[in-house]
Amino acid sequence: MKILSIQSSVAYGHAGNSSAVFPLQRLGHEVWPVYTVHFSNHTGYGQWRGVVFEPSTVADVITGIEERGVLPECDAVLSGYQGASAIGEVVLDAVARVKDANPKAVYCCDPVMGDVGRGFFVQPGIPEFIRDRVVPAADIVTPNQFELEFLTGAEVRTQADVVAAAQALRAKGPETVLVTSVQTDSTPADTVQMAVVTGGGAWLVTTPLLPLYLSGGGDATAAIFLAHVLTDGPAAALGRTADSMFSIVETTYEAGARELQLVQAQDAIAHPSGRFEVTRLS
């Protein structure tokens, strides 16, 4: 597949495209990365250097790709953190151009805006922009539980709540909803779950919860899921994504590292072992 990925970039570490591109390539896909920012490192360090690109610059790069006449070959558009609504408009325009050139292309949006315990960490207006403009244009969305609740206005406490909220989100436009970082009243202790919901059903997978927080994990998750769901279907994609992501986090934890150990875990990305059972919910 050929994937246009419009995200941030860091020189040191892994976040945005610096987290998404390598897994996609390791899975055998061609990636056209377009950067919205280029920083020395992710902002979790508290200090960083670099530049935020003007929306016109990002749009110009996309136009340059279009001028090569290759948009009909693009199978998917992937986007993550959108620092401003103007960047979001550029992404939506790119999606429209790709789909005009290739109606079979899909748009996968990781609706980055906040998390449980942290609340919103994006500029005011971005959550509403994602809810009202971006989600209806997406074919696949990958919210965490906090983002799912905001996007639907639902309170998620049970597995049934997860499925109902995801179906409500599907009603806004996307065909496939991957919910990450699921914690319900039936989630076993010291574990975390992911669920995928489509028109054909809902599935859940459970993995151990390791005591560390890593920037870029959601970016890698969305990329790996996109790669698998387009070729393997939702249930298989869920299991393979969970397996690869746990291996990445496990490798990072064992190394005592602050950054995702993507290169060290690359074999688990390319060849997930299937060690986690995927359960059908509906």
Side-chain angles (χ1 to χ4, degrees):
M1 294 189 300
K2 297 177 181 178
I3 299 167
L4 175 65
S5 183
I6 310 170
Q7 301 193 54
S8 60
S9 174
V10 295
Y12 172 78
H14 300 287
N17 266 333
S18 302
S19 182
V21 171
F22 177 72
L24 288 170
Q25 292 173 329
R26 192 64 182 83
L27 285 163
H29 303 299
E30 184 75 25
V31 188
W32 305 336
V34 175
Y35 302 142
T36 56
V37 312
H38 188 58
F39 288 165
S40 56
N41 50 269
H42 67 69
T43 58
Y45 286 93
Q47 292 181 320
W48 66 93
R49 295 179 183 269
V51 61
V52 177
F53 294 120
E54 293 292 333
S56 59
T57 300
V58 179
D60 200 38
V61 172
I62 296 169
T63 297
I65 297 172
E66 183 179 36
E67 289 172 344
R68 303 287 68 77
V70 295
L71 290 192
E73 304 171 18
C74 185
D75 299 292
V77 179
L78 173 63
S79 72
Y81 173 76
Q82 299 181 11
S85 58
I87 289 292
E89 295 287 1
V90 171
V91 173
L92 290 177
D93 180 67
V95 170
R97 288 199 240 175
V98 167
K99 290 198 168 195
D100 184 59
N102 178 15
K104 294 182 180 180
V106 302
Y107 172 34
C108 177
C109 169
D110 182 9
V112 181
M113 63 182 84
D115 204 352
V116 174
R118 299 177 65 193
F120 291 108
F121 48 68
V122 295
Q123 292 182 10
I126 294 297
E128 292 79 11
F129 178 82
I130 292 175
R131 180 192 64 200
D132 299 337
R133 296 288 311 283
V134 178
V135 166
D139 300 287
I140 303 167
V141 289
T142 63
N144 59 35
Q145 187 166 318
F146 173 87
E147 292 158 347
L148 177 68
E149 289 184 335
F150 170 77
L151 292 171
T152 61
E155 184 177 52
V156 175
R157 295 293 177 268
T158 68
Q159 289 182 1
D161 291 340
V162 173
V163 175
Q167 291 290 15
L169 192 56
R170 288 187 63 252
K172 297 177 182 291
E175 165 57 25
T176 301
V177 177
L178 173 70
V179 188
T180 64
S181 304
V182 171
Q183 294 280 349
T184 70
D185 57 9
S186 58
T187 301
D190 300 319
T191 69
V192 65
Q193 298 174 310
M194 288 198 296
V196 65
V197 181
T198 73
W203 297 265
L204 184 78
V205 66
T206 304
T207 62
L209 179 64
L210 297 178
L212 75 170
Y213 174 81
L214 296 165
S215 294
D219 305 318
T221 299
I224 292 170
F225 180 75
L226 171 63
H228 286 302
V229 76
L230 294 182
T231 57
D232 305 326
L238 178 66
R240 289 168 186 165
T241 301
D243 186 282
S244 293
M245 285 307 306
F246 180 75
S247 294
I248 293 168
V249 174
E250 183 180 42
T251 301
T252 304
Y253 179 70
E254 290 175 349
R258 183 170 180 175
E259 295 286 348
L260 292 173
Q261 301 294 286
L262 294 178
V263 175
Q264 293 81 351
Q266 62 178 294
D267 288 345
I269 296 172
H271 307 290
S273 63
R275 55 180 158 166
F276 299 113
E277 180 182 4
V278 174
T279 303
R280 188 177 182 111
L281 295 178
S282 65

